[in-house]
Each structure stands twice: as structure tokens, then as C-alpha cells.
Amino acid sequence: MEFRVRVPATSANLGPGFDAFALALPLLAEFDVRPGRGYEVRVEGHGDGVPSGSSNLVVIAARATAKAAKEQLQGLHVVQRSEIPIARGLGSSAAAIVAGCVAANEVLGRPLDRQSLLRTAAGVEGHADNVAAALFGGFTIAAPSPEGPVATSLEFPRAWRAVIFVPGRQLSTRQARRILPRRVARADAVFNLARTAIFVAAVLKKDGTLLRLAMHDRLHEPARLRLVPALDFIARAARAAGAFGAVLSGAGPAVLAIAPARLAPRVAAAMNAVAEEESWAGTAQVMRVRGIGAQARRHESTE
Ligand code: HSE
């Protein structure tokens, strides 16, 4: 029996919602999975440097899922193809982790529900924002709890688009987390917590004026500007072209703007133009937020 698991790319933080907010995007990673003896991963597409053995994230997540379900899993054979660029802040690791959790859960007869899969996936990833959007789709809010993270998903306004600028260069999340300050000033915490609440209100009320106020951060972007100085001019260009806001996508270096659909192509063009002027090569793409998260379907093997 073979399964095809499809998992969306994700953009986390969305400005003020550090480690809590994320959006699912229509770039997909696809995994053909069948139970086997031992673990084997073949990587096709965006896969430079992705390990094929036991340190592959699909394998680590599948094992963690079997352990969480207190089940035995003999092994998985995985063929992985992905449209998600690696180490850009678009959740390529989260997609692999969620795929491993969902695949193992299918093979084991679905012993775990989605919140348990979230806990397992977040345990492997280290934070819950990307894996929540990869599992649930839409706009997700993840929160820590004594039993592990919980998450909920809201529908994202249909008239809004994500405009994602993906630069040519990579940045490791580990490096982009190491640079963060250990303590934050109370004024900065208040600045962000008010904006996360306003962000949720903006989404529920489909109110762009509120979103414009919400898409600012003082907890992680100031430190990360040292690693991604281009954020400053790309975000300014996006706002000037009509975006509600523009922020670092996850840990970066990709930049996410949110714009009304009719202005989104202009926003993408403005991001591309300024990036070229400043010799920060990359490409902006207009995307609809993907309402659905990871899916597993039975699949006829072609091998
Ligand atoms: N919330 C995470 C961060 C997302 O900003 O470090 C990156 O995986």
C-alpha cells in the first residue's frame, strides 16, 4: 500500500506573531511513501544537501510519530519531490517533518489525531508555527500549553494575496534564532502583543487598515536585519506599492508582503525592481493562501 502525502510551504511569524502565526502557501512538497523494512529516502527536485538516511527529517518525524503512538514501525520508503526552496524561511523543514508524521500515522492506521500530530511535529521542529500551518492550512495560530502546543486555523480573506520575495541566498534558521536577544523590553512585548491581537481582528473582519497597523514587529526583526539588511528596502518598496505590510518570512531571508489582490502584481514588481537595483537577486511571486494543510491519499505504486 502506497500513500502520497502533500504538504504546503508556510510563512511563519507574519511580523508580530513570532513562533505563533503562520500562513500556508500553494508551493507543495510531495512524498510517495510505502511501508518497508528500514528507512530509505530518495530526494528529487529541491534537495541539495537533504540527507537520504536516518538523519532525514521525514524519517526522524516518522519515528517520533510511531513512538508517540506507542506503535512499531518497521520502516518507510520515501520518494520526496518539493517545490519549496530550502533555507529561505518558507517551511521546507516543517513540510518534511509534517510529511513524516502524517505518513507514519497513515501507515499505522491513524492512531493519532491532528493535535497529537502537531505536538509530535513541533517536538521535532522545536517550535510550532510552521508545522501548524503545514498541518491545518490557512492562517494558523499556535500556542504553547503544558501538554504541548495547540493550534487553530482561520480562513484567510480571499481578497488578499501573499507576495513572497525569495532571494537567491540561503539562511539557516539555527543561525537566525541564535542571533535573537534572550530578553525583551516590556515596551516591545506590549507593542507586539497588541499587534498580534489586531492581526487576528484584521483577518476576522477582513480589514486592511487594521492589518496595516498589525504588520510590525519588535521581537525578532530588529536583530535579524543584520542578517537580512535587504528586508528594509524590500519591505519599504512593497508598502509604497500598496501592500498592507511586508515582513520577514519566518526566519528569513524571504520577505512576505500581504496586499489586496488587485495591487499584488504591482507589489511583486516593486519588490523585484528594488532588489535588482540593490543587487539582492531574487524573485517575487503572488500567491493565494492555501486553505488546506497536509493531505494523504492512497496511491498506486508506479515502481
Ligand atoms: N518562528 C520561527 C522563527 C520560524 O522565526 O525562528 C522559523 O522556522
Side-chain angles (χ1 to χ4, degrees):
M1 187 194 325
E2 184 163 317
F3 296 94
R4 177 163 288 175
V5 182
R6 300 173 91 200
V7 190
T10 47
S11 177
N13 301 330
L14 314 183
F18 177 71
D19 278 1
F21 287 173
L23 285 182
L25 299 171
L27 297 174
L28 296 180
E30 199 171 78
F31 303 79
D32 289 340
V33 183
R34 65 187 159 81
R37 288 205 166 270
Y39 289 87
E40 224 181 271
V41 182
R42 199 169 79 216
V43 182
E44 298 173 356
H46 284 290
D48 276 358
V50 173
S52 55
S54 58
S55 55
N56 182 285
L57 286 171
V58 182
V59 173
I60 293 171
R63 287 189 156 138
T65 304
K67 193 169 168 205
K70 301 190 174 63
E71 299 274 358
Q72 293 289 331
L73 189 61
Q74 301 275 311
L76 288 179
H77 290 196
V78 182
V79 180
Q80 157 174 354
R81 288 174 291 273
S82 180
E83 301 172 342
I84 310 174
I86 291 172
R88 301 301 203 294
L90 291 169
S92 62
S93 319
I97 292 167
V98 164
C101 293
V102 169
N105 200 43
E106 287 297 319
V107 168
L108 295 171
R110 299 195 193 159
L112 299 182
D113 64 13
R114 289 246 149 172
Q115 293 289 351
S116 309
L117 290 178
L118 172 74
R119 277 202 293 279
T120 308
V124 177
E125 172 90 321
H127 43 271
D129 47 3
N130 291 96
V131 292
L135 263 170
F136 296 110
F139 163 53
T140 50
I141 309 164
S145 87
E147 289 76 41
V150 286
T152 190
S153 171
L154 294 176
E155 193 186 334
F156 197 71
R158 284 168 192 271
W160 295 354
R161 296 287 179 275
V163 187
I164 300 275
F165 177 83
V166 184
R169 63 189 78 179
Q170 300 188 334
L171 174 62
S172 88
T173 301
R174 188 176 298 174
Q175 188 191 356
R177 287 182 83 81
R178 221 187 290 131
I179 201 167
L180 298 177
R182 293 205 160 270
R183 292 176 175 275
V184 298
R186 184 164 60 185
D188 292 341
V190 170
F191 179 96
N192 267 58
L193 72 86
R195 275 163 182 77
T196 55
I198 292 284
F199 197 112
V200 175
V203 168
L204 291 174
K205 297 171 98 170
K206 305 180 175 55
D207 184 331
T209 307
L210 286 180
L211 190 66
R212 212 180 287 281
L213 171 66
M215 286 185 76
H216 296 279
D217 166 77
R218 285 196 193 161
L219 294 188
H220 66 105
E221 285 189 354
R224 287 173 168 172
L225 255 181
R226 272 182 277 158
L227 299 174
V228 192
L231 170 65
D232 199 32
F233 54 78
I234 294 177
R236 245 184 299 129
R239 289 194 195 104
F244 299 123
V247 294
L248 209 52
S249 177
V255 178
L256 162 77
I258 298 177
R262 75 190 160 81
L263 296 179
R266 204 169 90 185
V267 170
M271 292 165 100
N272 281 333
V274 76
E276 201 178 319
E277 252 168 59
E278 302 279 348
S279 310
W280 187 273
T283 318
Q285 254 181 285
V286 176
M287 301 181 197
R288 278 172 191 269
V289 168
R290 188 174 165 87
I292 45 174
Q295 288 173 304
R297 294 238 164 85
R298 282 259 181 105
H299 172 68
E300 290 308 314
S301 174
T302 48
E303 291 193 353

